[in-house]
Amino acid sequence: MPSMEDDHYLEWKLLIEERTGMVLPDERRSFLTTSLGIRMREVGFRSYRDYYNFILDGHEGTVEWTTLVDRLTVHETRFFRHMSSVKMIRELLLPEWMSQDEPPKTLNIWSVGCSTGEEAYTLAMVLDEFRETDYADYYYGITASDISIASLATGRKGVFHSRKLQCVEDAVRRKYFVRVDDTHFQVRDDLRKRVCFAQLNVLEMERRPFGKMHMIFCQNMLIYFDCERRVEILDNLVKYLEPGGVLILGAGEILGWNPPTLEKILFNDTLAFRRLTAV
Ligand SMILES: C[S@@+](CC[C@H](N)C(=O)[O-])C[C@H]1O[C@@H](n2cnc3c(N)ncnc32)[C@H](O)[C@@H]1O
């Protein structure tokens, strides 16, 4: 592939930031050129500028962008990735909600930037398990959204390589997964039915097709955005929290953000905010 001139690099960097919110640090320049190069070879472009113009132009460019964005975003994720958050849901939030005089009959949960679905399925397992062991009577639904169509398709299938299940306890694996072949497992059907995957760019939140949430789980996505954008996204996310609903972030994902409508909850290294009043 040709080397990338500085002005082309800046054009691409700005386009990605404008459309996805992701800020590419200069150390990731070679990642950008390699990813673009591979995709350009696949679709038959030899110049970054021609490919850039193609992306900006018309329907075909829009379709191509959806593939490219998948190559440029980081999809690393795991089942039970952040155990302190899982513990907070099990030991603090669910017991609290279910011991209210009128516990909610339905819990709506949103995994934002869900990648290939491991986070959403983890939440489903936690909610399912709690319902059984604590005899709580609720229905739950999980919305899992991401910008990457390819990741959502993987999530929807719910088939994972056994390597991906290494951190899943045996009992949980036996209970919630069905073996597909020597190396793959699929999430149990009834659990998959509880998770609805939807494409959503967090910069276009007004287009979201769903209502208010009891819990919004947003981890390892904000870190790719600059501080201003993180605040903008969080301010928007909390508009979709039910009163009393909780936004769960990873520790250190935002500093100095504490709107008066929210109460901060610190649970081990989980950072969460409870909505107090109507926003
Ligand atoms: C590193 S993964 C995090 C997955 C999961 N939340 C976890 O913690 O394991 C980050 C995800 O954010 C998604 N993402 C990046 N920019 C986005 C945007 N503007 N709107 C929606 N999702 C985005 C990426 O496609 C990627 O799947």
Side-chain angles (χ1 to χ4, degrees), residues 20 73-78 81 113-115 119 146-148 200-202 219-221 224-225:
T20 70
T73 39
V74 178
H75 302 294
E76 193 203 327
T77 184
R78 285 193 302 281
R81 180 174 193 174
C114 66
S115 185
E119 179 180 281
D146 201 280
I147 198 171
S148 157
L200 183 74
N201 182 345
V202 283
Q219 293 191 336
N220 302 302
M221 184 194 69
Y224 300 103
F225 302 150

Side-chain angles (χ1 to χ4, degrees), residues 203-255:
L203 303 187
E204 298 168 357
M205 220 111 64
E206 67 290 347
R207 293 179 54 208
R208 89 201 194 293
F210 35 86
K212 297 233 166 159
M213 299 286 160
H214 295 91
M215 192 194 301
I216 301 179
F217 205 87
C218 179
Q219 293 191 336
N220 302 302
M221 184 194 69
L222 293 175
I223 46 177
Y224 300 103
F225 302 150
D226 67 23
C227 285
E228 230 168 275
R229 190 82 77 171
R230 290 183 199 193
V231 168
E232 187 190 312
I233 292 169
L234 291 174
D235 285 342
N236 275 326
L237 281 180
V238 297
K239 290 183 195 157
Y240 306 123
L241 270 183
E242 293 276 5
V246 175
L247 168 68
I248 302 180
L249 308 175
E253 295 203 35
I254 188 79
L255 292 175

Side-chain angles (χ1 to χ4, degrees), residues 11-158:
E11 266 177 2
W12 276 105
K13 197 172 138 97
L14 280 176
L15 181 71
I16 293 163
E17 190 172 335
E18 202 179 279
R19 290 192 174 184
T20 70
M22 258 188 326
V23 181
L24 270 188
D26 290 341
E27 309 87 82
R28 307 250 310 150
R29 181 172 173 154
S30 68
F31 161 79
L32 176 65
T33 45
T34 311
S35 309
L36 284 175
I38 292 171
R39 184 60 192 158
M40 281 162 57
R41 209 173 304 134
E42 285 170 6
V43 284
F45 281 91
R46 297 185 62 80
S47 120
Y48 294 112
R49 172 55 57 77
D50 289 350
Y51 185 49
Y52 180 88
N53 289 337
F54 175 73
I55 289 279
L56 290 192
D57 189 31
H59 179 65
E60 282 185 29
T62 309
V63 174
E64 175 56 19
W65 172 255
T66 60
T67 305
L68 182 61
V69 90
D70 178 62
R71 306 289 177 90
L72 299 176
T73 39
V74 178
H75 302 294
E76 193 203 327
T77 184
R78 285 193 302 281
F79 288 102
F80 295 89
R81 180 174 193 174
H82 197 240
M83 279 314 289
S84 147
S85 310
V86 167
K87 229 167 145 20
M88 181 172 101
I89 297 168
R90 273 185 194 145
E91 294 175 15
L92 182 76
L93 300 183
L94 290 174
E96 227 176 66
W97 285 336
M98 291 307 134
S99 61
Q100 288 170 2
D101 290 344
E102 282 187 41
K105 291 250 172 292
T106 301
L107 288 175
N108 293 312
I109 318 289
W110 182 8
S111 159
V112 186
C114 66
S115 185
T116 38
E118 287 85 332
E119 179 180 281
Y121 288 128
T122 299
L123 293 169
M125 290 171 205
V126 172
L127 275 125
D128 191 78
E129 189 108 305
F130 185 88
R131 203 173 49 160
E132 273 179 14
T133 47
D134 290 70
Y135 308 104
D137 180 22
Y138 56 77
Y139 181 86
Y140 69 90
I142 296 177
T143 303
S145 69
D146 201 280
I147 198 171
S148 157
I149 291 182
S151 298
L152 293 167
T154 304
R156 237 171 246 129
K157 269 199 213 146

